[in-house]
Amino acid sequence: MKKLKHLILSAGLLSMVALVAVGCGSTQTAAPKADATKTTATAAATYVGDDTCNSCHGTKVTAFHTTKHSTAFQPLSAFKLSNAPTTLTLFDGVDTNNTKPTQVDLSKIKIYGVMMNEYVMAEVPGFKNKIYRIAKLVKNGDQYTLDAAKSVDVDKDGKPDWQAADGTSCASCHAPGVPANSPSAGISCESCHGPGSNHVAAPDDKKKGTIMASPRNALPDSDTCLKCHNSDPVKDATTGAIVTNNHQGTRDWAFSKHNTSGMTNGCLTCHGPHKANANGVLIKKDNPVDICNSCHEGKIDQAKLDAIMWKNTTDPNGHVTRDHSFGAMKYQDMGDDPATKQIEIKNQTYLDIIKKALPDLAK
Ligand code: HEC
Ligand code: HEC
Ligand code: HEC
Ligand code: HEC
Ligand code: HEC
Ligand code: HEC
């Protein structure tokens, strides 16, 4: 690695690298647990929604609308439905002892929107939890059919019922504005910057410091991106094996030298927070290889990038994500059993690293 460091220094990045290492102090050795509600510095502020930011930060808001963050949660009215029931008969999937059906008038309940073009998130009066996935959208050409979020014969009459599945746990990442009481239900400016009412109310010449300016470093035990993009391996519930699966897109980042060396700017080395590239991806250059080569000096081509950031194409839940360990957890060294859909991590060196960083997994 001496050689690489040398290249980086000779590329004139020494001062930047040193500043980052000393200045942010947020180098992570273990990925934190997801906590999408935690913010600091603006304790008394409330959420005002993206439309309010738009009046002064119009350019940023327009740029943000090019990102998948902006479209990850959309109003139900954005989808053309081929069947449009006005009422639904739902069963509470959280309070499973309750086998009584609830008749729901769709025009009367609070429908927050649709997450990932798939689940309709809403409140059902009388149900145990606040947020439910009341239905699933199934794509059919350019139209969608409203279907059961979960299909279970709850009342044991031999026919499948529509069971509303809990949406509370999903909301922390997919509809963070709902638990935060923001006018913007999905991922908004305030999902990363924290509530903005104090900032909006402050006079123009006193706005500085009234909202988190660099949210990535402002959270004491967390990283803004990692709140939602958890990178940890997990334990398979049935076999007890430690597996690489996760559906949040940044497998094994915590173990990468990009993270642990303190010599990069974390996720923001390659991803920007506000604007998608020409391919609609939240990455700083149109060709990702160009980013690598700004430090690795022509050593990385697309084939190398694809080998380093290998995709988990066998994920049992169909979540295809790229490895973000940047060589610290190579597929060929995992000890995977190719006969199973899971990718097991059996390499003792890797297990030692994981168990040191994530003691809970060692139990
Ligand atoms: C009334 C106009 C106005 C509105 C509304 C507004 N901002 Fe700002 N914002 C400003 C100005 C002006 C600055 C520059 C302050 C400076 O550099 O002195 C600023 C700065 C910022 C900064 C950098 C803060 C810092 O300390 O450097 C962030 C982050 C920000 N705004 C986010 C938001 C978000 C998110 C919203 C919506 C919740 C929002 N703003 C709404 C005018 C506004
Ligand atoms: C810790 C944050 C987090 C939680 C909790 C979470 N998700 Fe996700 N989910 C994500 C992120 C981030 C992505 C996008 C990953 C990517 O782009 O690679 C995603 C992607 C998805 C996708 C689309 C991609 C795919 O692989 O299928 C669906 C569907 C989804 N989530 C459903 C859910 C449901 C249902 C729940 C609740 C049971 C949930 N998620 C809970 C963060 C989360
Ligand atoms: C996914 C998280 C995320 C979202 C969503 C987000 N930001 Fe940011 N924002 C950041 C980060 C991280 C920085 C610090 C950038 C850096 O350190 O390079 C930042 C910096 C800023 C700054 C100050 C520096 C600059 O680039 O001008 C302003 C102003 C700002 N954001 C406004 C907004 C507005 C307005 C929105 C909504 C349209 C928004 N942000 C949405 C993460 C986010
Ligand atoms: C509030 C939760 C949340 C936060 C905070 C968050 N993300 Fe995401 N991110 C998501 C979800 C949900 C998706 C899936 C969006 C989709 O595919 O429609 C996603 C998708 C992505 C994608 C893949 C989509 C694409 O553009 O190709 C990237 C890259 C990404 N996020 C980077 C970041 C970075 C960098 C940060 C921190 C600056 C961040 N995210 C913060 C929830 C979050
Ligand atoms: C050294 C560069 C680099 C760093 C650092 C990095 N990523 Fe990525 N990331 C990429 C590249 C390259 C892709 C693939 C982009 C493409 O296919 O167009 C990607 C893809 C993704 C995706 C899409 C799903 C997937 O796995 O393909 C998400 C989500 C994501 N990154 C989030 C993050 C987050 C959050 C961080 C910080 C914890 C991070 N990345 C750090 C380069 C990086
Ligand atoms: C801002 C500069 C920078 C960028 C951009 C960058 N890297 Fe790195 N990379 C580093 C540093 C610094 C290290 C750690 C060197 C060390 O600790 O010895 C590293 C380490 C690595 C390693 C581990 C090498 C080893 O022997 O352990 C791989 C693999 C890697 N990077 C691939 C990539 C890829 C692929 C991209 C683009 C998606 C990329 N890097 C973008 C600076 C960068």
Side-chain angles (χ1 to χ4, degrees):
M1 257 312 86
K2 260 204 179 104
K3 198 157 170 223
L4 174 65
K5 272 183 195 152
H6 191 76
L7 288 175
I8 290 172
L9 301 191
S10 69
L13 278 168
L14 174 59
S15 54
M16 183 204 91
V17 164
L19 267 179
V20 169
V22 176
C24 75
S26 72
T27 307
Q28 308 223 341
T29 46
K33 293 283 157 278
D35 181 355
T37 53
K38 193 173 282 179
T39 56
T40 54
T42 47
T46 54
Y47 289 83
V48 296
D50 275 4
D51 289 348
T52 308
C53 317
N54 191 39
S55 58
C56 301
H57 296 286
T59 319
K60 268 231 162 50
V61 175
T62 307
F64 180 61
H65 287 165
T66 64
T67 70
K68 289 193 184 148
H69 280 159
S70 168
T71 50
F73 198 81
Q74 298 190 73
L76 183 57
S77 59
F79 299 84
K80 216 155 97 198
L81 299 181
S82 51
N83 65 333
T86 50
T87 58
L88 293 178
T89 306
L90 295 176
F91 291 83
D92 189 341
V94 175
D95 189 7
T96 46
N97 292 328
N98 178 2
T99 54
K100 251 184 43 222
T102 298
Q103 200 72 16
V104 177
D105 182 340
L106 287 179
S107 69
K108 297 229 169 80
I109 61 167
K110 175 94 193 142
I111 298 179
Y112 291 108
V114 181
M115 61 181 265
M116 304 303 288
N117 302 333
E118 192 165 355
Y119 292 108
V120 182
M121 307 272 268
E123 268 181 51
V124 184
F127 275 17
K128 201 168 178 181
N129 277 4
K130 189 183 177 198
I131 309 166
Y132 281 86
R133 287 172 274 153
I134 60 160
K136 190 177 168 171
L137 293 182
V138 181
K139 200 168 176 4
N140 211 330
D142 67 341
Q143 300 207 332
Y144 290 83
T145 325
L146 214 54
D147 207 341
K150 247 169 105 188
S151 201
V152 184
D153 183 8
V154 185
D155 54 10
K156 305 272 186 278
D157 66 351
K159 281 180 274 171
D161 300 308
W162 279 36
Q163 198 180 50
D166 183 40
T168 315
S169 64
C170 324
S172 62
C173 303
H174 286 282
V178 176
N181 267 329
S182 164
S184 304
I187 301 173
S188 71
C189 310
E190 292 167 295
S191 303
C192 294
H193 288 284
S197 66
N198 287 348
H199 173 68
V200 172
D204 264 8
D205 59 339
K206 295 212 167 63
K207 285 204 189 291
K208 227 181 160 65
T210 54
I211 190 165
M212 269 193 264
S214 189
R216 195 172 66 87
N217 302 328
L219 304 171
D221 63 350
S222 185
D223 178 293
T224 301
C225 312
L226 287 169
K227 288 191 308 194
C228 300
H229 292 283
N230 189 340
S231 83
D232 296 350
V234 290
K235 202 177 243 177
D236 181 78
T238 42
T239 66
I242 292 180
V243 296
T244 59
N245 305 357
N246 77 33
H247 94 216
Q248 295 100 344
T250 53
R251 292 195 338 268
D252 306 328
W253 159 258
F255 315 116
S256 74
K257 280 191 181 162
H258 286 159
N259 176 43
T260 57
S261 70
M263 289 168 76
T264 75
N265 195 20
C267 315
L268 298 181
T269 301
C270 304
H271 299 281
H274 301 124
K275 194 169 178 280
N277 68 10
N279 309 312
V281 182
L282 198 62
I283 204 153
K284 279 179 164 173
K285 294 229 164 97
D286 292 343
N287 185 357
V289 166
D290 293 343
I291 305 178
C292 315
N293 287 331
S294 67
C295 296
H296 294 282
E297 295 204 320
K299 294 229 157 46
I300 312 248
D301 56 21
Q302 189 63 43
K304 265 197 193 135
L305 185 146
D306 288 336
I308 293 166
M309 301 186 76
W310 55 281
K311 288 186 185 177
N312 183 357
T313 49
T314 60
D315 186 289
N317 301 309
H319 307 301
V320 181
T321 59
R322 282 180 185 270
D323 191 77
H324 272 67
S325 78
F326 295 97
M329 305 260 158
K330 292 191 181 72
Y331 176 75
Q332 60 271 27
D333 298 337
M334 287 279 181
D336 177 41
D337 173 1
T340 59
K341 276 198 148 197
Q342 311 272 26
I343 294 180
E344 297 89 2
I345 308 175
K346 294 203 191 114
N347 176 323
Q348 197 53 49
T349 314
Y350 291 0
L351 288 175
D352 289 345
I353 299 172
I354 292 169
K355 288 175 175 177
K356 198 170 158 215
L358 304 164
D360 281 353
L361 270 191
K363 283 183 201 140

